Amino acid sequence: MARKRFIRQILPAFLLITFLSLLLNLLLVSRTVKESEFRQSEAELASRAALFRAAIAPSIAGDPGTLQARCKQLGAESSTRITVIAPDGRVLADSDEEPAQMDNHASRPEVAEALLGRVGKSVRFSYTLNGRMMYLAIPEREAGGYVIRVAFPLTDMDVTLSALYRQL
């Protein structure tokens, strides 16, 4: 009799501790996976930016239409948004939009960082593309100080993380 009463008293506390430890474990695993996905995406964007810099460099000094066409081609082939930005923040070319219709990008966090000579990174909502995007901007000092910004949507990452959360 005393044993049953003891089990009834300790069982709720045991279940609560078990539930809380599982919840904490879920939070830590999901955070680790999310951070890993972000690091992998940043590394991939950095690689793409370096490749695009080499591919775009010959078109910078030439005709703006050629630069725009090259960005569109590279963007379509790689499923990446590519934006070439002048030192004053003016958009010279973009793979998804017409540069003449775009705002000055000097105040965008990743571009502002790149204009200072450092690699700029940002994750934010894009009203132009209507979704969460990861941006990475790299400076190009040799050809007049322009910036190459690359981006891709985080929808694939969000879907992967949602599936992981459901499974866990």
Side-chain angles (χ1 to χ4, degrees):
M1 186 72 139
R3 185 175 177 178
K4 286 184 179 180
R5 197 171 82 190
F6 176 72
I7 289 175
R8 283 188 196 149
Q9 288 176 344
I10 199 166
L11 185 63
F14 178 75
L15 289 175
L16 180 64
I17 290 170
T18 302
F19 175 76
L20 290 176
S21 65
L22 286 173
L23 183 63
L24 180 63
N25 202 6
L26 171 66
L27 292 173
L28 291 174
V29 166
S30 65
R31 189 177 89 191
T32 301
V33 168
K34 187 175 184 177
E35 288 173 359
S36 174
E37 286 282 328
F38 268 94
R39 279 194 305 276
Q40 183 178 352
S41 295
E42 279 182 11
E44 188 175 331
L45 273 178
S47 295
R48 290 181 187 189
L51 290 172
F52 296 150
R53 178 182 2 194
I56 289 171
S59 304
I60 290 292
D63 175 45
T66 304
L67 178 61
Q68 177 70 8
R70 187 74 175 131
C71 283
K72 281 190 177 291
Q73 176 196 9
L74 290 170
E77 290 172 355
S78 65
S79 299
T80 306
R81 183 174 187 187
I82 306 165
T83 309
V84 180
I85 303 159
D88 62 358
R90 197 172 27 93
V91 176
L92 300 174
D94 188 86
S95 59
D96 292 2
E97 298 291 325
E98 285 302 316
Q101 298 174 354
M102 297 177 72
D103 295 336
N104 188 296
H105 280 41
S107 63
R108 308 284 164 91
E110 69 280 359
V111 175
E113 195 72 22
L115 289 172
L116 294 173
R118 300 183 292 260
V119 174
K121 303 171 194 170
S122 178
V123 174
R124 57 186 163 73
F125 189 83
S126 169
Y127 292 99
T128 306
L129 300 176
N130 199 26
R132 238 170 39 105
M133 301 284 287
M134 177 178 278
Y135 296 95
L136 187 128
I138 59 172
E140 179 54 61
R141 296 271 179 228
E142 294 176 16
Y146 69 91
V147 170
I148 295 179
R149 183 183 74 170
V150 292
F152 57 68
L154 293 177
T155 51
D156 290 343
M157 183 188 313
D158 292 340
V159 168
T160 301
L161 290 174
S162 294
L164 175 68
Y165 296 151
R166 281 194 305 278
Q167 289 176 357
L168 289 175

